[in-house]
Amino acid sequence: MLHHRLVWQCASLLLSYPDQDRLNNVDELLVHLDGDTADLLGRTATALKASGPLQASEDYVDTFDLQRRSTMYLTYWTAGDTRNRGSEMLAFAAAYRDAGVDPPRDEAPDYLPVVLEFAATVDPDAGRRLLAEHRVPIDVLRQALTEVGSPYAHVVAAVCETLPAATDREVQRARQLAQAGPPAEAVGLQPFTLTVPPRRVEGGR
């Protein structure tokens, strides 16, 4: 379990807006990891360092803020622009409260780096459950990043290594979502209808 928590913490840092302090923390954590997951995480960290701060920031925005297929908001893929998305996001918030912490105020509770940090530092069992229940959108994200040759594909692959193997049904569902996109509902939308994450201000999370 400790190994998985270290992987989730590294992944949370690497999937957040890039800065040198986060990369330094990743280096410190990687000393305690080995095997395939350490290699995958290390490949992402090395690529971010090699690109430099400005390019890394631009690539992050281009990858995650401007592309629907690589959004890290997990309920976007399971509920899309439908009424169900609100209740699904509330389920994340409820899991945080049940573990004794408040949901984040500056980010949606289904945002993958937030879920990973929760799993790593607060409640690994509840965090693993949330990640496993959203294995399909995580696989869709990994596939999208792999197709464009993004170094972030490696860190998402490392997260997948910590979860139960995808079932045939989950694999099929991921393929369908990748091809058709998330559910949509044109009328009567409730809150939580964001489909493309907002462009981040440079230096923000």
Side-chain angles (χ1 to χ4, degrees), residues 49-80:
K49 294 173 190 174
S51 64
L54 180 59
Q55 188 61 53
S57 297
E58 292 178 352
D59 289 345
Y60 185 89
V61 171
D62 289 341
T63 300
F64 295 115
D65 293 357
L66 303 180
Q67 303 295 326
R68 292 186 181 186
R69 291 194 65 223
S70 52
T71 181
M72 289 193 284
Y73 293 93
L74 299 179
T75 63
Y76 171 74
W77 287 106
T78 55

Side-chain angles (χ1 to χ4, degrees), residues 135-153:
R135 174 64 190 254
V136 169
I138 293 173
D139 277 337
V140 173
L141 172 61
R142 178 181 55 79
Q143 179 180 337
L145 294 172
T146 300
E147 289 176 357
V148 298
S150 170
Y152 289 106

Side-chain angles (χ1 to χ4, degrees), residues 67-111:
Q67 303 295 326
R68 292 186 181 186
R69 291 194 65 223
S70 52
T71 181
M72 289 193 284
Y73 293 93
L74 299 179
T75 63
Y76 171 74
W77 287 106
T78 55
D81 283 337
T82 72
R83 296 178 179 87
N84 293 333
R85 190 172 183 199
S87 61
E88 291 195 13
M89 292 182 76
L90 288 174
F92 280 86
Y96 299 156
R97 291 193 180 95
D98 288 345
V101 297
D102 291 329
R105 296 183 178 180
D106 59 347
E107 191 54 87
D110 66 329
Y111 186 55

Side-chain angles (χ1 to χ4, degrees), residues 77 140 169-182:
W77 287 106
V140 173
R169 183 177 180 180
E170 287 173 332
V171 171
Q172 182 61 29
R173 178 59 175 158
R175 289 174 180 168
Q176 291 173 346
L177 283 175
Q179 293 174 358

Side-chain angles (χ1 to χ4, degrees), residues 6-41:
L6 290 171
V7 171
W8 294 334
Q9 184 64 79
C10 282
S12 177
L13 292 167
L14 288 170
L15 291 173
S16 298
Y17 192 91
D19 65 39
Q20 190 58 51
D21 287 341
R22 288 193 175 108
L23 291 176
N24 290 340
N25 289 336
V26 169
D27 286 341
E28 294 175 3
L29 292 170
L30 284 177
V31 172
H32 304 285
L33 289 170
D34 56 22
D36 291 341
T37 50
D39 178 65
L40 290 166
L41 295 166

